[in-house]
Amino acid sequence: MSHNAEHARREPGTNADSPSPDRKPTSDMLAQGERDKLTLRLQQAFSTFVDSPRQAVEEADTVFDDVTTQFTDTLKERRRALRASWQDPGTEAQTEELRLALRQYREITEGLLRMSAPAGR
């Protein structure tokens, strides 16, 4: 067995139910309807550029701000829920709960890292 295969076999949360490498855990950061609305607003900003360049850029800035605010709020909520799953002072987290929390941290963090990579990588 190769070193990588052995490492994957022992790594917490690595099993048949782990997400495929192309799955994007952060893709559900916004509900589909909200993503559609924001995409439409951005497209409208681009379509108004010729007639009103400043207004188009201002709208694109507002859409960007709305997206980042929603992402930040969603990440804060996920972090709160994850911490609650293993940091509850009243109970001792079991190994399985810790394994699931670790896997969720990995999925979310890897998704964010993929988002920050240059296109084409």
Side-chain angles (χ1 to χ4, degrees), residues 21-78:
D22 60 334
R23 180 174 168 226
K24 296 179 181 174
T26 55
S27 66
D28 62 347
M29 296 290 287
L30 298 173
Q32 183 64 48
E34 192 60 31
R35 280 195 307 267
D36 292 345
K37 288 178 192 175
L38 291 164
T39 299
L40 181 60
R41 285 177 52 200
L42 189 59
Q43 290 170 345
Q44 289 172 337
F46 274 86
S47 69
T48 63
F49 182 80
V50 171
D51 295 326
S52 184
R54 179 169 295 280
Q55 183 179 355
V57 173
E58 288 171 353
E59 178 60 13
D61 179 68
T62 301
V63 172
F64 179 83
D65 188 48
D66 291 349
V67 169
T68 57
T69 297
Q70 290 184 34
F71 266 51
T72 301
D73 292 347
T74 299
L75 287 170
K76 284 179 183 177
E77 177 55 29
R78 285 189 181 180

Coordinates of all heavy atoms in Angstrom, one line a residue, residues 21-78:
P21 N -13.5 14.9 -4.9 CA -12.7 16.0 -5.0 C -13.3 17.2 -5.7 O -12.9 18.4 -5.4 CB -11.4 15.5 -5.7 CG -11.5 14.1 -5.6 CD -12.9 13.7 -5.5
D22 N -14.2 17.0 -6.6 CA -14.8 18.1 -7.4 C -16.0 18.7 -6.7 O -16.5 19.7 -7.1 CB -15.1 17.7 -8.8 CG -16.1 16.6 -8.9 OD1 -16.2 15.8 -7.9 OD2 -16.8 16.4 -9.9
R23 N -16.4 18.1 -5.6 CA -17.6 18.6 -4.9 C -17.1 20.0 -4.2 O -16.1 20.0 -3.7 CB -18.1 17.7 -3.8 CG -19.2 18.2 -3.0 CD -19.8 17.2 -2.1 NE -20.7 17.9 -1.2 CZ -20.7 17.7 0.1 NH1 -19.9 16.9 0.7 NH2 -21.6 18.4 0.8
K24 N -18.0 20.9 -4.2 CA -17.7 22.2 -3.6 C -18.6 22.5 -2.4 O -19.7 22.9 -2.5 CB -17.9 23.3 -4.7 CG -16.9 23.2 -5.8 CD -17.2 24.3 -6.8 CE -16.2 24.1 -8.0 NZ -16.4 25.0 -9.1
P25 N -18.0 22.2 -1.2 CA -18.8 22.4 0.0 C -19.3 23.8 0.2 O -20.3 24.0 0.9 CB -17.9 21.9 1.1 CG -16.7 21.3 0.5 CD -16.7 21.7 -0.9
T26 N -18.6 24.7 -0.4 CA -19.0 26.1 -0.2 C -20.1 26.6 -1.2 O -20.5 27.7 -1.2 CB -17.8 27.1 -0.3 OG1 -17.2 26.8 -1.5 CG2 -16.9 26.8 0.9
S27 N -20.4 25.7 -2.2 CA -21.3 26.1 -3.2 C -22.7 26.3 -2.7 O -23.5 27.0 -3.3 CB -21.4 25.0 -4.3 OG -21.9 23.8 -3.8
D28 N -23.0 25.8 -1.5 CA -24.4 26.1 -0.9 C -24.3 27.2 0.1 O -25.1 27.3 1.0 CB -24.9 24.8 -0.3 CG -24.1 24.3 0.8 OD1 -23.0 24.7 1.0 OD2 -24.6 23.4 1.5
M29 N -23.3 28.1 -0.1 CA -23.2 29.2 0.8 C -24.4 30.2 0.7 O -24.8 30.9 1.6 CB -21.9 30.0 0.6 CG -20.7 29.2 0.9 SD -20.4 28.9 2.6 CE -19.9 30.5 3.1
L30 N -25.0 30.2 -0.5 CA -26.2 31.0 -0.8 C -27.3 30.0 -1.4 O -26.9 29.2 -2.2 CB -25.9 32.1 -1.8 CG -24.9 33.1 -1.4 CD1 -24.6 34.1 -2.5 CD2 -25.4 34.0 -0.2
A31 N -28.5 30.3 -1.0 CA -29.6 29.5 -1.6 C -29.6 29.8 -3.1 O -29.3 30.9 -3.5 CB -30.9 29.9 -1.0
Q32 N -30.1 28.8 -3.9 CA -30.1 29.0 -5.3 C -30.9 30.2 -5.8 O -30.4 31.0 -6.6 CB -30.7 27.7 -6.0 CG -30.7 27.8 -7.5 CD -29.3 27.8 -8.1 OE1 -28.5 27.0 -7.7 NE2 -29.1 28.7 -9.0
G33 N -32.0 30.5 -5.1 CA -32.8 31.7 -5.5 C -32.0 33.0 -5.2 O -32.1 33.9 -6.0
E34 N -31.3 33.0 -4.1 CA -30.5 34.2 -3.8 C -29.4 34.4 -4.8 O -29.1 35.5 -5.2 CB -30.0 34.1 -2.3 CG -29.4 35.4 -1.8 CD -30.4 36.5 -1.8 OE1 -31.6 36.3 -1.6 OE2 -30.0 37.7 -2.0
R35 N -28.7 33.3 -5.1 CA -27.6 33.3 -6.1 C -28.2 33.8 -7.4 O -27.6 34.7 -8.1 CB -27.0 31.9 -6.3 CG -26.0 31.5 -5.3 CD -25.1 30.4 -5.7 NE -25.9 29.2 -6.1 CZ -26.2 28.2 -5.4 NH1 -25.9 28.2 -4.1 NH2 -26.9 27.2 -5.9
D36 N -29.4 33.4 -7.8 CA -30.0 33.8 -9.1 C -30.2 35.3 -9.1 O -30.0 36.0 -10.0 CB -31.2 33.0 -9.4 CG -31.0 31.6 -9.7 OD1 -29.8 31.2 -10.0 OD2 -32.0 30.8 -9.6
K37 N -30.8 35.8 -8.0 CA -31.1 37.2 -7.8 C -29.8 38.1 -7.9 O -29.8 39.1 -8.6 CB -31.8 37.5 -6.5 CG -33.2 37.0 -6.4 CD -33.7 37.4 -5.0 CE -35.1 36.6 -4.7 NZ -35.5 36.8 -3.4
L38 N -28.8 37.6 -7.2 CA -27.5 38.4 -7.2 C -26.9 38.4 -8.6 O -26.4 39.4 -9.1 CB -26.6 37.9 -6.1 CG -27.1 38.2 -4.7 CD1 -26.3 37.3 -3.7 CD2 -26.9 39.7 -4.4
T39 N -27.0 37.2 -9.3 CA -26.4 37.1 -10.6 C -27.1 38.0 -11.6 O -26.5 38.7 -12.4 CB -26.5 35.6 -11.1 OG1 -25.7 34.8 -10.2 CG2 -26.0 35.5 -12.5
L40 N -28.5 38.0 -11.5 CA -29.3 38.9 -12.3 C -28.9 40.4 -12.1 O -28.8 41.2 -13.0 CB -30.8 38.7 -12.1 CG -31.7 39.5 -12.9 CD1 -31.5 39.3 -14.4 CD2 -33.2 39.2 -12.5
R41 N -28.8 40.8 -10.8 CA -28.4 42.2 -10.5 C -27.1 42.5 -11.1 O -26.9 43.6 -11.6 CB -28.4 42.4 -9.0 CG -29.8 42.5 -8.4 CD -29.7 42.6 -6.9 NE -28.8 43.7 -6.4 CZ -28.3 43.8 -5.2 NH1 -28.6 42.9 -4.3 NH2 -27.5 44.8 -4.9
L42 N -26.1 41.6 -11.0 CA -24.8 41.8 -11.6 C -24.9 42.0 -13.1 O -24.3 42.8 -13.7 CB -23.8 40.7 -11.2 CG -22.4 41.0 -11.5 CD1 -21.8 42.2 -10.9 CD2 -21.5 39.8 -11.1
Q43 N -25.6 41.1 -13.8 CA -25.8 41.1 -15.2 C -26.5 42.5 -15.6 O -26.1 43.1 -16.6 CB -26.7 40.0 -15.7 CG -25.9 38.6 -15.6 CD -26.9 37.4 -15.9 OE1 -28.1 37.6 -15.9 NE2 -26.2 36.3 -16.1
Q44 N -27.5 42.9 -14.8 CA -28.1 44.2 -15.1 C -27.1 45.3 -15.0 O -27.2 46.3 -15.8 CB -29.3 44.4 -14.2 CG -30.5 43.5 -14.5 CD -31.6 43.5 -13.5 OE1 -31.4 43.9 -12.4 NE2 -32.8 43.1 -13.9
A45 N -26.2 45.3 -14.0 CA -25.2 46.3 -13.9 C -24.4 46.4 -15.2 O -24.1 47.5 -15.7 CB -24.4 46.1 -12.7
F46 N -23.9 45.2 -15.7 CA -23.1 45.2 -16.9 C -23.9 45.7 -18.1 O -23.4 46.4 -18.9 CB -22.6 43.7 -17.2 CG -21.4 43.4 -16.4 CD1 -21.4 43.0 -15.1 CD2 -20.1 43.6 -17.0 CE1 -20.2 42.7 -14.4 CE2 -19.0 43.3 -16.4 CZ -19.0 42.8 -15.1
S47 N -25.2 45.4 -18.1 CA -26.0 45.8 -19.3 C -26.2 47.3 -19.3 O -26.5 47.9 -20.4 CB -27.3 45.0 -19.4 OG -28.1 45.4 -18.4
T48 N -26.1 48.0 -18.2 CA -26.4 49.4 -18.1 C -25.1 50.2 -18.2 O -25.2 51.5 -18.2 CB -27.1 49.8 -16.8 OG1 -26.3 49.5 -15.7 CG2 -28.4 49.1 -16.7
F49 N -24.0 49.6 -18.4 CA -22.7 50.3 -18.4 C -22.6 51.4 -19.5 O -22.1 52.5 -19.2 CB -21.5 49.3 -18.5 CG -20.2 50.0 -18.4 CD1 -19.7 50.4 -17.2 CD2 -19.5 50.3 -19.6 CE1 -18.4 51.1 -17.2 CE2 -18.3 50.9 -19.5 CZ -17.7 51.3 -18.3
V50 N -23.0 51.0 -20.7 CA -22.9 52.0 -21.8 C -23.7 53.2 -21.5 O -23.1 54.3 -21.8 CB -23.4 51.3 -23.1 CG1 -23.4 52.3 -24.2 CG2 -22.5 50.1 -23.5
D51 N -24.9 53.1 -21.0 CA -25.7 54.3 -20.7 C -25.3 55.0 -19.4 O -25.5 56.2 -19.3 CB -27.2 53.9 -20.7 CG -27.6 53.4 -22.1 OD1 -27.1 53.9 -23.1 OD2 -28.5 52.6 -22.1
S52 N -24.9 54.3 -18.5 CA -24.6 54.9 -17.1 C -23.4 54.1 -16.4 O -23.7 53.3 -15.5 CB -25.9 54.8 -16.3 OG -25.7 55.4 -15.1
P53 N -22.2 54.4 -16.9 CA -21.1 53.7 -16.3 C -20.9 53.7 -14.8 O -20.7 52.7 -14.2 CB -19.9 54.3 -17.0 CG -20.4 55.0 -18.2 CD -21.8 55.4 -17.9
R54 N -21.0 54.9 -14.3 CA -20.9 55.1 -12.8 C -21.9 54.3 -12.1 O -21.7 53.6 -11.1 CB -20.9 56.5 -12.4 CG -20.8 56.7 -10.9 CD -20.5 58.1 -10.4 NE -19.3 58.7 -10.9 CZ -18.1 58.4 -10.4 NH1 -18.0 57.6 -9.3 NH2 -17.0 59.0 -10.9
Q55 N -23.2 54.4 -12.5 CA -24.3 53.7 -11.8 C -24.0 52.1 -11.9 O -24.3 51.4 -11.0 CB -25.6 54.0 -12.4 CG -26.8 53.4 -11.8 CD -28.1 53.8 -12.4 OE1 -28.2 54.7 -13.2 NE2 -29.2 53.2 -11.9
A56 N -23.5 51.7 -13.1 CA -23.3 50.3 -13.3 C -22.2 49.8 -12.3 O -22.4 48.7 -11.7 CB -22.8 50.0 -14.7
V57 N -21.2 50.5 -12.1 CA -20.1 50.1 -11.2 C -20.6 50.2 -9.8 O -20.3 49.3 -9.0 CB -18.8 51.0 -11.4 CG1 -17.8 50.7 -10.4 CG2 -18.3 50.7 -12.8
E58 N -21.4 51.2 -9.5 CA -21.9 51.3 -8.1 C -22.8 50.1 -7.8 O -22.7 49.6 -6.7 CB -22.7 52.6 -7.9 CG -21.8 53.8 -7.8 CD -22.6 55.1 -7.9 OE1 -23.8 55.1 -8.1 OE2 -21.9 56.2 -7.7
E59 N -23.6 49.7 -8.7 CA -24.5 48.5 -8.5 C -23.6 47.2 -8.4 O -23.9 46.4 -7.5 CB -25.5 48.3 -9.7 CG -26.4 47.1 -9.5 CD -27.2 47.1 -8.3 OE1 -27.4 48.1 -7.6 OE2 -27.8 46.0 -8.0
A60 N -22.6 47.1 -9.2 CA -21.7 45.9 -9.1 C -21.0 45.9 -7.7 O -20.9 44.9 -7.1 CB -20.7 46.0 -10.2
D61 N -20.7 47.1 -7.2 CA -20.1 47.2 -5.9 C -21.1 46.7 -4.8 O -20.7 46.0 -3.9 CB -19.6 48.6 -5.6 CG -19.0 48.8 -4.2 OD1 -17.9 48.2 -4.0 OD2 -19.6 49.5 -3.4
T62 N -22.3 47.2 -4.9 CA -23.3 46.8 -4.0 C -23.6 45.3 -4.0 O -23.7 44.7 -3.0 CB -24.6 47.6 -4.3 OG1 -24.4 49.0 -4.2 CG2 -25.7 47.2 -3.3
V63 N -23.6 44.7 -5.2 CA -23.8 43.3 -5.3 C -22.7 42.5 -4.6 O -22.9 41.6 -3.9 CB -24.0 42.8 -6.8 CG1 -24.0 41.3 -6.9 CG2 -25.3 43.4 -7.4
F64 N -21.5 43.0 -4.9 CA -20.3 42.4 -4.3 C -20.4 42.4 -2.8 O -20.1 41.5 -2.1 CB -19.0 43.1 -4.8 CG -17.8 42.6 -4.2 CD1 -17.1 41.4 -4.7 CD2 -17.2 43.2 -3.1 CE1 -16.0 40.9 -4.2 CE2 -16.0 42.7 -2.6 CZ -15.4 41.6 -3.1
D65 N -20.8 43.6 -2.3 CA -20.9 43.8 -0.8 C -22.0 42.8 -0.3 O -21.8 42.2 0.8 CB -21.3 45.2 -0.5 CG -21.2 45.5 1.0 OD1 -20.3 45.1 1.7 OD2 -22.2 46.1 1.5
D66 N -23.1 42.7 -0.9 CA -24.2 41.8 -0.5 C -23.7 40.4 -0.5 O -24.0 39.6 0.5 CB -25.4 41.9 -1.4 CG -26.1 43.3 -1.2 OD1 -25.8 44.0 -0.3 OD2 -27.0 43.6 -2.1
V67 N -23.0 39.9 -1.5 CA -22.5 38.6 -1.5 C -21.5 38.3 -0.4 O -21.6 37.3 0.3 CB -21.8 38.3 -2.9 CG1 -21.0 36.9 -2.9 CG2 -22.8 38.2 -4.0
T68 N -20.5 39.2 -0.2 CA -19.5 39.0 0.9 C -20.2 39.0 2.3 O -19.8 38.2 3.1 CB -18.4 40.0 0.8 OG1 -18.9 41.4 0.9 CG2 -17.6 39.9 -0.5
T69 N -21.2 39.9 2.4 CA -21.9 39.9 3.7 C -22.6 38.6 4.0 O -22.6 38.0 5.1 CB -22.9 41.1 3.8 OG1 -22.2 42.3 3.7 CG2 -23.7 41.1 5.1
Q70 N -23.3 38.1 3.0 CA -24.0 36.8 3.1 C -23.1 35.6 3.3 O -23.3 34.8 4.2 CB -24.9 36.6 1.9 CG -26.1 37.5 1.9 CD -27.1 37.2 0.8 OE1 -27.3 36.1 0.4 NE2 -27.7 38.3 0.2
F71 N -21.9 35.6 2.6 CA -21.0 34.6 2.8 C -20.4 34.6 4.3 O -20.3 33.6 4.9 CB -19.8 34.7 1.9 CG -19.9 33.9 0.6 CD1 -21.1 34.0 -0.2 CD2 -18.9 33.1 0.2 CE1 -21.2 33.2 -1.3 CE2 -19.0 32.4 -1.0 CZ -20.1 32.4 -1.7
T72 N -20.1 35.8 4.7 CA -19.6 36.0 6.1 C -20.6 35.5 7.1 O -20.2 34.8 8.1 CB -19.1 37.5 6.3 OG1 -18.2 37.8 5.3 CG2 -18.6 37.7 7.7
D73 N -21.8 35.9 6.9 CA -22.8 35.5 7.9 C -23.0 34.0 7.9 O -23.2 33.4 9.0 CB -24.2 36.2 7.6 CG -24.2 37.7 7.8 OD1 -23.2 38.2 8.5 OD2 -25.1 38.4 7.3
T74 N -23.0 33.4 6.7 CA -23.2 32.0 6.6 C -22.0 31.2 7.3 O -22.2 30.3 8.0 CB -23.3 31.5 5.2 OG1 -24.5 32.1 4.6 CG2 -23.5 30.0 5.0
L75 N -20.8 31.7 7.0 CA -19.6 31.1 7.6 C -19.6 31.2 9.1 O -19.3 30.3 9.9 CB -18.3 31.7 7.0 CG -18.0 31.3 5.6 CD1 -16.9 32.1 5.1 CD2 -17.7 29.8 5.6
K76 N -20.0 32.4 9.6 CA -20.1 32.6 11.1 C -21.1 31.6 11.7 O -20.9 31.0 12.8 CB -20.5 34.0 11.4 CG -19.4 35.0 11.3 CD -19.9 36.4 11.6 CE -18.8 37.4 11.4 NZ -19.3 38.8 11.6
E77 N -22.2 31.4 11.1 CA -23.3 30.5 11.6 C -22.7 29.0 11.5 O -22.9 28.3 12.5 CB -24.6 30.6 10.8 CG -25.6 29.6 11.2 CD -26.0 29.6 12.6 OE1 -25.9 30.7 13.3 OE2 -26.4 28.6 13.2
R78 N -22.1 28.7 10.4 CA -21.5 27.3 10.3 C -20.5 27.1 11.4 O -20.4 26.0 12.0 CB -20.9 27.1 9.0 CG -22.0 26.9 7.9 CD -21.4 26.4 6.6 NE -22.5 26.2 5.7 CZ -22.3 25.9 4.4 NH1 -21.1 25.6 4.0 NH2 -23.3 25.7 3.6

